[in-house]
Amino acid sequence: MTRQELLQRSSTLLGRFAHEVKVANAMGQFDINTIAEDFLIPVFNIAFDCPDLCNQNRIQMNFPAVDLGCKTSRTSIQITSDSSSSKVCETLEKFESHNLSSDFDSLYVYVITERQNSYSSQKLTEAANKLSIKFDTSTNILDYRDLAKKLSELTNKQIERINEHLEEEFRQADANLQFRNNLDEFLGVSQQKIEDEKRTKKYIPSVFVETSETKEEMRYFANPMFFFRKIDDDLRRIDLDHFNELLGMAKLEPVADNLREITTLEAPNSLFELRTRFVQQSTALEAIQEHVSPFSWYGDRAERFVPSDYLTGYWEVFRHSIQPSGSGVFSSLEKVSNKIGIAQAKIFLVTGMAGQGKTNFVCDLIENQFRAFEVPSSFIPGRSLNDYPGPNRILSYVTNNRFAPDVASLHDLFALLNSVAEECQKPFVIVIDGINEVGDLDGFVAELRVFLEALCQYDFVKIVITCRNEFFDHKFAGVFEPQFSDHLYRVKDLRNEMSDENKSRLLEAYLHHFKIKGQFSNVAIEFLENDLILLRIFSEIHEGKNIGYVPDIYKGDIFEQYLIMKINEFPTPSRQKVLNSLYKICSRMLGEENFTQISVEGFDDSERQIFERLIGEDIILRREVPSTGLASLGIENISFTYDELRDFLLAYYTVVELAASHPLEVNSIFEKIPKWSIYEGFFRYAYVLARKQNNDTVLAACEASEDFQKHYLNNLSLLSADIQTPEDVERVETVLKDGTAERNLRRVAWFLFRKREDSEHLNIRILLDHVGSLDDEESERFFRAMFSSSSDFRDSKWRERVSHRLNSLKDLSEDQKLGLGVPALALALHFAPHAHWDEREATLNFFAKFQLTQEVGGAIEACQNAVSVKVQNCLKEIAEERGKHEG
């Protein structure tokens, strides 16, 4: 490019900048004037030979008179879009009044739009004459045209450097403008990713049940400009007046009440103002808490209030009122402080076990909450980062979006997202779901630290991250703490935040989404509500089916059905390969006696592809925390997602595969397993599967175990109806009759109490027949054992539990009570003589009222042959009550 072309290009670029400033100012966008200061530094740096030129406002906020200064060349420059004489005059006066001539020998006023044709103001002339340095209005007041002329004095290389700077700035500005124009499309990419999560069923919107407390916390984190009012409401509800009144009675100084002051602050108009507001409130709350703490049970115990001698009497009288009140105040202050802390946090971390709803939580967050409040956000599934090389996976992922800006660094990206946040007055929230799913964990740990370091430098960019517990503890804990502890808020387990009501709603949602029809016993409902992974597996198995009445759920059956279903999803020629690959993992685990993780080293490519597909669903297999040490670098480990599914597969492999091909190896395994961590789980499923498969080899090995009876009783609930036998009935009857082993008696009695199906060999009637054969002394001894606990410290505690059991009937409707069935109602009559008087009378009144119904009448008849005199007396009272009504 010729010199003339270089000068023409620089003149065009400077003219464009002046024009854009003029347009922006006409639209009321005056922040561009501040941007101009940094934009022009490299230009003036070369044009005026100012090697150390810097923004004076970066050195001292609101630096007087000048914006840019160079101590080496002693040159100062004021940048303004106001070309008036009065503005220049004001600059000169401030320059002189602040004695800036001690730092600078020359002063220029650069008008970023256009300067006036002349400056003949008398006042300006006087100000220039009074200035202690030379200032000529014809040469020291410049605009882009004067600057273009100044460039003509430079070398071609210097002009090229200036042009390169201007072109890069405009390229970035154009990219930023395009990004803002395409912001909706950029945000829409997150929705596309969420649709992908729906297709793979990682996110099922209709089965999402929010954890209300965590959702509330997220509101403060992601949209503080809207929800800061709730913080003010909480502050207004804190009552210091009563607490101070109590302090006054004890002759103590009251707490300075400035709560009104921090709740009547002017409403913020920007995120900057909101941040200042939060700092004011936090400082005030901290001061109040410090004063209240000595009078609270929750504060620092080292600071407990100790009265002076002359106040001891007053303190002893009023402390029983002051401390509860102080504790309440302190707790309220703490809760508000936590909310402010969440609103100021930069990182919202959600950790938990696999299958506890983390993906559902963040996807719902973006699709519903963020969308409803127009919070700008970007969703990144952790596993998608595996498609990009380190050390800039996250940046590469973002820029791979065709609507993303052409940014060269994290800082360019965050600066842009930060400016978007300022425009909409809501933080820009990046969401990364499942950082544990990134394959190169060691590389990603370092990358994440750098990413967070950069993010935390930008006021209004935030991030939500989810991670499995074991990965966080093993790999990522050191990333977040202590370095980012001041910026971090962590939710450790979403499931713990879920109420019983929400669990019930979640079960209903799953059944509705998967179109499952059926009736569930209370036992089955409780089982599914308290194991979210099992609920998901159960729902997938029975999708679209009417499964009728479900009295109980057997994990072994569910695992087998699920594995068959998943294997059948592979092409027919590959199905045996899938099963053999899982067997190979089991064989490796048993051979190495390592049940936590297995290296994929030694598996062929086809096997690894199978593993990747199963890992993607994160229900059968998962990518595991790698081993430590040089020898394991670069080696990927896998394991079974669900420990019980692992135990089932190991047992299945042993029963179905090893017992047929290597029976001696089976015996060797059973000799070793008592020392293994999987002992109980493996034994449980091996025994049940051996009974199902009629495998005498494994069955004999199980029954030869020294602690077989313990395993047998522990796993009664796994004996499904199809494998129960009369021998099982004999075994449980023997336990019921043996009063010396109370723990075993309790286990069997309550197991039978919950088994209401007459079609099964093992059911409640065995328990009813047994207690019906006991006399009063034997009956009391039996129920004492059944209702006692090894931790009881009072001999009468068991009677309270009997009473509580009967009292629970009050919470049931009449239909629910009658629906308990004849055996359960008959047992209630056997319980009654051992309950407290109120519960006993309430139970007998119920029987008297409903004795003509089929259910209650059947229960009374079932107790007619009871040996217990006390039970017979109860029957007489019921009959007498009937006689009174008939008479």
Side-chain angles (χ1 to χ4, degrees):
M1 187 178 290
T2 66
R3 180 176 179 81
Q4 187 60 36
E5 289 171 332
L6 287 172
L7 291 171
Q8 183 60 45
R9 181 60 178 156
S10 61
S11 180
T12 300
L13 292 170
L14 291 171
R16 174 186 169 180
F17 183 66
H19 174 72
E20 291 186 1
V21 171
K22 191 182 297 183
V23 171
N25 285 347
M27 296 173 65
Q29 298 173 359
F30 297 102
D31 56 335
I32 195 170
N33 299 344
T34 302
I35 295 172
E37 296 169 8
D38 292 325
F39 178 90
L40 291 169
I41 285 176
V43 178
F44 290 127
N45 182 290
I46 297 171
F48 287 85
D49 191 20
C50 298
D52 299 320
L53 191 66
C54 60
N55 192 326
Q56 296 298 110
N57 290 314
R58 297 277 187 268
I59 300 172
Q60 176 186 325
M61 185 66 72
N62 297 319
F63 193 88
V66 297
D67 296 310
L68 310 180
C70 175
K71 290 188 175 180
T72 302
S73 65
R74 294 179 61 82
T75 301
S76 63
I77 305 171
Q78 170 72 1
I79 308 293
T80 180
S81 58
D82 184 352
S83 62
S84 67
S85 295
S86 59
K87 175 62 179 178
V88 179
C89 186
E90 179 188 351
T91 298
L92 300 185
E93 289 173 348
K94 283 187 177 181
F95 187 95
E96 189 65 21
S97 65
H98 286 86
N99 193 30
L100 294 184
S101 59
S102 61
D103 294 318
F104 305 112
D105 295 334
S106 59
L107 167 65
Y108 292 92
V109 175
Y110 185 79
V111 182
I112 49 180
T113 50
E114 289 181 7
R115 56 164 283 162
Q116 295 177 176
N117 290 330
S118 65
Y119 288 88
S120 56
S121 162
Q122 181 65 33
K123 189 175 181 181
L124 175 58
T125 302
E126 291 175 359
N129 291 334
K130 291 179 181 178
L131 204 62
S132 51
I133 62 172
K134 182 182 177 182
F135 186 90
D136 187 338
T137 57
S138 62
T139 56
N140 288 68
I141 303 175
L142 313 172
D143 64 11
Y144 73 96
R145 294 166 297 190
D146 300 301
L147 185 57
K149 292 177 184 175
K150 182 76 173 173
L151 299 189
S152 64
E153 302 171 8
L154 305 178
T155 65
N156 285 3
K157 192 168 185 179
Q158 289 175 316
I159 300 171
E160 283 177 359
R161 284 167 54 196
I162 289 174
N163 287 353
E164 285 172 3
H165 164 71
L166 294 173
E167 286 170 346
E168 174 59 26
E169 289 292 332
F170 282 122
R171 184 195 64 75
Q172 187 65 52
D174 291 342
N176 293 353
L177 179 62
Q178 183 180 0
F179 176 67
R180 283 175 170 76
N181 292 337
N182 293 333
L183 183 59
D184 288 341
E185 288 85 353
F186 176 81
L187 300 178
V189 172
S190 290
Q191 186 59 42
Q192 293 172 21
K193 293 299 178 183
I194 289 174
E195 293 301 321
D196 291 342
E197 302 297 270
K198 291 178 185 177
R199 280 189 287 273
T200 60
K201 293 185 178 178
K202 284 182 171 292
Y203 169 42
I204 307 176
S206 60
V207 303
F208 174 70
V209 174
E210 66 189 28
T211 50
S212 55
E213 184 175 341
T214 306
K215 180 180 179 181
E216 184 78 358
E217 292 165 346
M218 182 56 71
R219 285 172 169 164
Y220 294 110
F221 176 81
N223 197 4
M225 276 292 286
F226 187 88
F227 288 100
F228 79 88
R229 299 173 184 84
K230 298 191 74 174
I231 291 174
D232 285 356
D233 289 342
D234 289 342
L235 286 170
R236 291 187 189 101
R237 283 192 286 269
I238 298 174
D239 182 14
L240 274 175
D241 291 340
H242 177 63
F243 177 63
N244 278 334
E245 184 180 340
L246 292 171
L247 290 178
M249 292 178 181
K251 307 299 182 184
L252 298 172
E253 287 293 322
V255 174
D257 185 357
N258 56 355
L259 289 176
R260 177 173 174 76
E261 179 184 328
I262 59 175
T263 55
T264 56
L265 294 170
E266 189 173 339
N269 293 312
S270 68
L271 288 170
F272 279 109
E273 290 181 11
L274 178 64
R275 183 176 60 183
T276 302
R277 193 179 204 270
F278 280 149
V279 170
Q280 284 181 263
Q281 290 179 328
S282 294
T283 303
L285 288 174
E286 187 177 337
I288 298 173
Q289 278 184 287
E290 187 177 346
H291 198 156
V292 174
S293 178
F295 306 103
S296 164
W297 298 320
Y298 306 122
D300 186 348
R301 292 192 172 275
E303 298 176 356
R304 287 290 179 267
F305 175 72
V306 178
S308 303
D309 291 342
Y310 74 97
L311 291 176
T312 301
Y314 292 104
W315 176 247
E316 287 303 316
V317 172
F318 293 106
R319 70 183 178 89
H320 297 293
S321 298
I322 291 174
Q323 287 178 332
S325 179
S327 298
V329 170
F330 187 90
S331 178
S332 298
L333 294 168
E334 189 76 16
K335 288 176 182 177
V336 179
S337 294
N338 287 341
K339 288 179 180 179
I340 294 175
I342 294 170
Q344 293 178 297
K346 303 282 293 174
I347 306 165
F348 196 104
L349 175 66
V350 181
T351 59
M353 294 169 56
Q356 301 303 312
K358 296 184 294 296
T359 296
N360 262 17
F361 172 72
V362 294
C363 287
D364 175 81
L365 187 69
I366 293 174
E367 187 172 40
N368 296 311
Q369 188 173 336
F370 286 3
R371 179 185 288 182
F373 287 97
E374 298 182 334
V375 175
S377 59
S378 179
F379 175 67
I380 305 175
R383 65 185 181 281
S384 297
L385 297 177
N386 291 315
D387 298 332
Y388 302 91
N392 289 304
R393 295 173 181 85
I394 303 173
L395 181 64
S396 299
Y397 175 93
V398 173
T399 56
N400 191 54
N401 170 7
R402 71 188 179 96
F403 301 112
D406 182 16
V407 294
S409 70
L410 285 176
H411 287 287
D412 287 344
L413 174 65
F414 289 141
L416 177 57
L417 301 185
N418 202 63
S419 64
V420 169
E422 290 182 60
E423 285 179 16
C424 63
Q425 293 305 316
K426 299 179 184 73
F428 196 107
V429 184
I430 300 168
V431 180
I432 306 181
D433 179 38
I435 56 174
N436 51 274
E437 294 184 24
V438 179
D440 176 22
L441 278 180
D442 289 319
F444 188 64
V445 163
E447 180 180 334
L448 185 62
R449 182 180 287 108
V450 171
F451 185 86
L452 294 176
E453 280 177 352
L455 181 145
C456 287
Q457 296 174 46
Y458 294 83
D459 294 320
F460 310 123
V461 183
K462 298 191 174 191
I463 189 166
V464 177
I465 294 174
T466 73
C467 185
R468 282 217 328 257
N469 273 336
E470 64 272 29
F471 280 86
F472 180 80
D473 294 337
H474 185 79
K475 277 290 178 185
F476 293 104
V479 173
F480 292 91
E481 296 175 347
Q483 183 173 359
F484 300 109
S485 56
D486 290 341
H487 302 286
L488 175 68
Y489 181 74
R490 180 182 177 188
V491 175
K492 293 188 177 181
D493 191 345
L494 285 172
R495 185 184 169 201
N496 284 346
E497 306 290 337
M498 192 175 290
S499 65
D500 290 339
E501 182 182 352
N502 278 352
K503 289 179 184 178
S504 179
R505 287 175 52 212
L506 186 63
L507 173 59
E508 291 178 12
Y510 261 101
L511 297 178
H512 177 76
H513 175 81
F514 285 93
K515 299 180 174 62
I516 300 171
K517 294 181 179 179
Q519 290 181 301
F520 296 82
S521 69
N522 290 335
V523 174
I525 289 173
E526 183 179 356
F527 195 86
L528 292 173
E529 285 181 352
N530 288 289
D531 194 325
L532 298 186
I533 295 183
L534 196 74
L535 173 57
R536 172 62 182 270
I537 293 174
F538 178 90
S539 299
E540 287 199 33
I541 292 170
H542 297 293
E543 185 171 9
K545 298 176 185 176
N546 186 336
I547 56 179
Y549 180 65
V550 182
D552 214 334
I553 292 175
Y554 300 98
K555 284 187 178 180
D557 293 345
I558 291 179
F559 291 152
E560 186 169 11
Q561 293 169 36
Y562 184 74
L563 288 165
I564 291 171
M565 182 183 78
K566 283 298 166 186
I567 290 172
N568 284 337
E569 290 178 0
F570 284 81
T572 304
S574 303
R575 291 173 186 170
Q576 191 59 46
K577 178 76 172 178
V578 176
L579 181 60
N580 288 337
S581 298
L582 292 174
Y583 279 168
K584 191 170 178 179
I585 295 175
C586 293
S587 176
R588 182 89 66 86
M589 282 186 166
L590 290 168
E592 297 177 4
E593 299 184 21
N594 176 8
F595 307 104
T596 56
Q597 56 185 340
I598 291 296
S599 166
V600 297
E601 195 174 25
F603 291 94
D604 62 35
D605 289 341
S606 62
E607 290 167 333
R608 294 191 185 198
Q609 288 175 6
I610 291 168
F611 297 157
E612 279 301 315
R613 177 166 168 176
L614 295 177
I615 286 169
E617 296 177 354
D618 205 26
I619 293 181
I620 296 177
L621 290 179
R622 68 187 183 193
R623 186 168 282 107
E624 198 50 86
V625 175
S627 303
T628 55
L630 290 173
S632 62
L633 287 179
I635 297 177
E636 185 179 354
N637 296 323
I638 59 173
S639 184
F640 292 106
T641 300
Y642 193 31
D643 287 348
E644 287 219 45
L645 179 58
R646 173 202 64 195
D647 298 344
F648 172 82
L649 264 168
L650 290 170
Y652 194 91
Y653 167 71
T654 302
V655 173
V656 175
E657 184 73 11
L658 276 185
S661 58
H662 299 86
L664 294 179
E665 200 169 324
V666 172
N667 292 329
S668 174
I669 288 172
F670 273 87
E671 289 174 3
K672 297 176 183 177
I673 55 172
K675 298 178 181 178
W676 292 352
S677 60
I678 63 162
Y679 179 33
E680 295 205 4
F682 177 84
F683 195 107
R684 172 189 306 136
Y685 292 112
Y687 177 67
V688 172
L689 286 167
R691 289 185 63 160
K692 283 181 176 292
Q693 302 280 339
N694 294 315
N695 189 311
D696 292 335
T697 301
V698 177
L699 205 56
C702 289
E703 294 182 349
S705 171
E706 292 181 1
D707 50 2
F708 169 69
Q709 186 184 41
K710 182 188 77 172
H711 288 291
Y712 177 81
L713 297 179
N714 282 344
N715 299 304
L716 279 172
S717 60
L718 296 180
L719 300 180
S720 53
D722 59 316
I723 62 172
Q724 293 175 13
T725 66
E727 186 179 355
D728 293 313
V729 177
E730 292 177 12
R731 281 176 169 161
V732 299
E733 286 178 337
T734 300
V735 174
L736 293 176
K737 293 172 183 177
D738 180 11
T740 60
E742 289 190 359
R743 189 165 180 269
N744 291 344
L745 183 151
R746 278 195 294 274
R747 183 179 289 117
V748 170
W750 287 113
F751 165 75
L752 292 172
F753 182 77
R754 295 182 177 93
K755 300 291 284 186
R756 309 293 169 86
E757 293 301 305
D758 289 342
S759 59
E760 298 188 26
H761 284 286
L762 299 175
N763 65 69
I764 192 172
R765 289 191 180 276
I766 298 173
L767 178 62
L768 178 60
D769 291 343
H770 176 71
V771 300
S773 68
L774 304 177
D775 61 26
D776 286 339
E777 185 179 341
E778 293 167 335
S779 179
E780 180 170 333
R781 189 161 52 245
F782 181 86
F783 287 125
R784 180 193 297 271
M786 181 176 174
F787 282 91
S788 290
S789 168
S790 58
S791 61
D792 286 348
F793 60 91
R794 282 190 290 124
D795 186 55
S796 61
K797 188 72 175 176
W798 70 277
R799 289 191 188 275
E800 293 178 12
R801 293 198 182 96
V802 175
S803 300
H804 180 74
R805 174 67 60 175
L806 292 178
N807 193 47
S808 65
L809 291 173
K810 291 181 181 179
D811 298 329
L812 303 179
S813 66
E814 291 180 359
D815 288 343
Q816 287 174 322
K817 290 174 184 175
L818 297 176
L820 292 173
V822 169
L825 290 171
L827 278 170
L829 271 177
H830 281 278
F831 295 161
H834 306 283
H836 296 315
W837 187 87
D838 287 349
E839 285 75 19
R840 176 185 180 278
E841 290 303 302
T843 302
L844 297 185
N845 289 339
F846 166 75
F847 274 83
K849 181 179 178 180
F850 292 99
Q851 59 186 295
L852 296 181
T853 63
Q854 182 179 350
E855 295 83 2
V856 174
I860 292 171
E861 184 178 347
C863 293
Q864 292 293 344
N865 296 323
V867 174
S868 169
V869 174
K870 291 180 179 179
V871 173
Q872 292 298 335
N873 288 338
C874 287
L875 294 177
K876 287 178 184 178
E877 286 187 41
I878 294 168
E880 288 171 3
E881 194 67 26
R882 176 184 175 184
K884 289 178 185 178
H885 288 294
E886 289 178 349

